[in-house]
Amino acid sequence: MTSLTRPLCLLSLLMSAALFGFFYAWVCSTMWGLDTADPRVAISAMQAMNASVVNAVFAPAFFGTPIVLLIATLFLIKTAQRPAALWFGIATAVVTCLSVLLTMLANVPMNEALALLEVPQDRQTAQRIWDAYSPDWQFWNQMRTAATGLGVLCVGIGLTRLT
């Protein structure tokens, strides 16, 4: 095993867990809180949060996690750590396809559409907008959260297979 393999595997765990935690927080607090707020506040807050997430702190976790997972997988293959490589490979596929790509195909377009809206002054109009947005957004967020959690689990199993 090269001297970089274990640190790459641990970095994979850390980054996968960070991504899972980010998505999980939306599931169990952020969206539930917004759903109980005045819909005008919820729309405005969601617009602000979506705009703020495009930053130098989140981007490495979001875009870098699949890359680090892939590099770790390749190092594991190169060092003949086949059982660990299998689990890291599964994590790479799950996080890439069912987390990052799903986000880009489902949540981001919904966020972009919401960003284009002016927050209505009328509460009922705002409620209709929020009711059309929040349940679908939460469904896709729960899917990417579960996928990323599965990715973390696969990395953990892969770590137990290291020799």
Side-chain angles (χ1 to χ4, degrees):
M1 182 176 326
T2 73
S3 62
L4 289 177
T5 304
R6 285 193 191 276
L8 277 169
C9 290
L10 291 173
L11 182 59
S12 295
L13 177 64
L14 179 66
M15 292 180 75
S16 299
L19 197 55
F20 170 73
F22 176 80
F23 294 150
Y24 182 71
W26 287 92
V27 169
C28 65
S29 63
T30 305
M31 293 306 290
W32 290 349
L34 291 175
D35 281 347
T36 64
D38 180 311
R40 296 167 292 193
V41 171
I43 292 167
S44 179
M46 192 67 170
Q47 288 171 332
M49 287 184 279
N50 288 334
S52 74
V53 80
V54 181
N55 63 61
V57 176
F58 178 67
F62 185 73
F63 295 108
T65 299
I67 295 167
V68 170
L69 283 166
L70 178 61
I71 293 169
T73 302
L74 295 174
F75 267 75
L76 289 165
I77 291 169
K78 180 182 178 200
T79 59
Q81 295 279 328
R82 301 264 184 243
L86 172 66
W87 287 102
F88 274 77
I90 293 168
T92 302
V94 167
V95 169
T96 301
C97 297
L98 299 178
S99 179
V100 173
L101 289 177
L102 177 62
T103 298
M104 300 305 291
L105 294 172
N107 295 88
V108 169
M110 294 176 74
N111 294 344
E112 290 173 345
L114 189 69
L116 296 174
L117 298 177
E118 187 171 322
V119 179
Q121 296 299 314
D122 176 54
R123 185 181 172 113
Q124 290 175 328
T125 302
Q127 189 67 58
R128 282 193 296 277
I129 291 168
W130 187 251
D131 288 347
Y133 174 85
S134 180
D136 289 343
W137 193 94
Q138 288 188 61
F139 172 80
W140 292 114
N141 183 61
Q142 291 166 7
M143 294 302 105
R144 69 185 182 174
T145 302
T148 309
L150 178 60
V152 172
L153 181 61
C154 290
V155 169
I157 294 170
L159 285 168
T160 68
R161 303 298 193 259
L162 290 175
T163 58

